[in-house]
Amino acid sequence: MKELYRKKIRDILEQKETEKEIIVKGWVRTKRGNNKIAFIAINDGSIVHNLQVVADVPKFKEEILEKMSTGTCIEVRGKLAESPGKGQEVELHADEITLYGPADPETYPLQKKGHSLEFLREIAHLRPRTNTFGAILRLRHHLSYAIHKYFNDKGFYYMHTPIITGSDCEGAGEMFRVTTLDPKSPPLTKDGKVDFNEDFFGKETNLTVSGQLEGETGALALSTIYTFGPTFRAENSNTPRHLAEFWMIEPEMAFYDIHDNMDLAEDLLKYLIRYILDHCMTDLEFLQKMYDDGLIERLDFVLAHDFVRTVYSEAIEILKKADQPFEFPVEWGKDLQSEHERYLVEKHFRKPVMLTDYPKDIKAFYMKQNDDGLTVRALDVLFPKIGEIIGGSQREENYEKLRQRILELNLPEKDLWWYLETRKFGTAPHSGFGLGFERFMLFISGMNNIRDVIPFPRTPNNAEF
Ligand code: 4AD
Ligand code: MG
């Protein structure tokens, strides 16, 4: 008994070692057959494919096979054999079946029929057991691994930036407060305001919107670092591209200017796409078949072309001449909306686009100011289907200019003293960017809603599970 060990279905289908005695554990997807023979398709999540288990009905106790409904968890001991049937090369001839956990067909929500993605969001605790979310979770895993591999191979160090912070990196005020004060009767100051001196940290704190500011302290010491962690935005955007909790990859590099920054962004995105094409083809093919005919072609296309590099002002000129109306006005000084970004990428250039030199008033305080006094060395990378996938910039390394901008924007200098000191002592030109992990997952998977590329989406009015 003990010399047998459990094999994962992915390895079984790859190795096809017929005549071998093995143990398989997983969840029943379907059962069919008659009173002589039963075919049970089981899946263990290691790969999108099922393994077919063949059981001689008379060999088993009736109640065992009766309970093999969709969702049941079982262990099967048996011999692997070539399959005469269509659809699989090998099958498992069962000698022994053990039931771990039944799933009552009256109440188990994931019956055979296809379910809408909307319905699956309501059962996010069970949706990993579907082919779609199995594929999504595996893609997220491989993509995360590839990110660490890419940076490690390039000599970047992974820096753990804090989740709880006392500063607002993007200066947009879209933060979730972290507090232990009693919401019903918080301590008050003499002038009736909440007294955060009494709070856990003795000051106002929030969940981070970006690890960048702390990441810069690492770059200005270790030269090249990256963070990859959860970030939080309390923006009330109910769109298919916004989450309140999402993951971000943020490299930060000393001695990189905006052009080096663009080179790195393009190289990283292409590396990751290539990695996924090389390692996740089974899942990509499944997603392509189910959701997006053009998926693999689009991934190949991005690999085959240089990204377009141009400036914001040029983009505005192009949009003004566009042969289609936009919902939001196009005007120098206004931020680009996703409809504008997608026009540039999908209709005009028909390639990913890297836009730099945005008006300073629509970008964050830390971006390097250009000599024109109007624009900053911002970088946005725009992708087909997604729009903005990366936001970044060369950073303002001049102490006085940075401090001036902080004052101009009425940002709390007292919270940013340490950030300013990185410019006071041994400052250096440096750059970085943030790649939205779930935005990139949308692109890689062909899914249309960001709620369907993260295990447990957090969006306005939704934090179930
Ligand atoms: O453009 P953003 O706001 O840039 C920053 O946070 C910089 N501090 C990054 C840096 O330079 N280190 O956000 C970066 C990226 C966006 O391009 C987008 O891909 C993603 O993060 N993003 C979101 N993804 C999902 N839901 C949201 N609400 C997002 N907000 C931004
Ligand atoms: Mg941005």
Side-chain angles (χ1 to χ4, degrees), residues 167 169 211-217 220 252 364-368 393-399 402-403 406 411-425 427 430:
S167 53
C169 174
Q212 176 197 325
L213 301 188
E214 292 89 352
E216 285 183 53
T217 71
L220 293 171
E252 194 69 36
F365 72 97
Y366 52 70
M367 297 193 182
K368 185 172 174 65
S393 73
Q394 186 167 341
R395 317 305 189 192
E396 182 54 77
E397 82 266 25
N398 179 286
Y399 175 83
L402 181 63
R403 181 162 175 270
I406 288 172
L411 298 173
E413 193 187 354
K414 68 168 185 10
D415 293 335
L416 291 168
W417 66 271
W418 55 274
Y419 185 69
L420 279 163
E421 282 204 351
T422 60
R423 275 57 168 180
K424 203 184 218 168
F425 306 123
T427 191
H430 63 289

Side-chain angles (χ1 to χ4, degrees), residues 234 258 379:
I258 189 76
L379 163 65

Side-chain angles (χ1 to χ4, degrees), residues 175-227:
M175 296 173 302
F176 290 102
R177 170 153 295 157
V178 174
T179 179
T180 54
L181 295 181
D182 179 357
K184 284 196 294 286
S185 59
L188 299 178
T189 58
K190 277 196 210 89
D191 45 1
K193 298 212 174 91
V194 175
D195 186 1
F196 289 102
N197 289 322
E198 300 280 311
D199 205 346
F200 187 90
F201 296 106
K203 62 183 289 188
E204 281 184 76
T205 51
N206 47 269
L207 295 177
T208 190
V209 297
S210 158
Q212 176 197 325
L213 301 188
E214 292 89 352
E216 285 183 53
T217 71
L220 293 171
L222 283 77
S223 296
T224 48
I225 64 94
Y226 69 105
T227 85

Side-chain angles (χ1 to χ4, degrees), residues 311-344 355 358-359 362:
V311 295
Y312 167 89
S313 299
E314 176 64 23
I316 292 292
E317 288 313 308
I318 292 166
L319 291 167
K320 278 188 172 158
K321 292 188 207 125
D323 51 6
Q324 68 169 65
F326 294 115
E327 189 188 335
F328 294 90
V330 175
E331 201 183 309
W332 200 98
K334 286 216 155 76
D335 209 355
L336 298 184
Q337 301 296 320
S338 127
E339 56 171 345
H340 306 134
E341 296 171 339
R342 293 188 60 176
Y343 177 86
L344 292 168
L355 279 189
Y358 281 69
I362 56 171

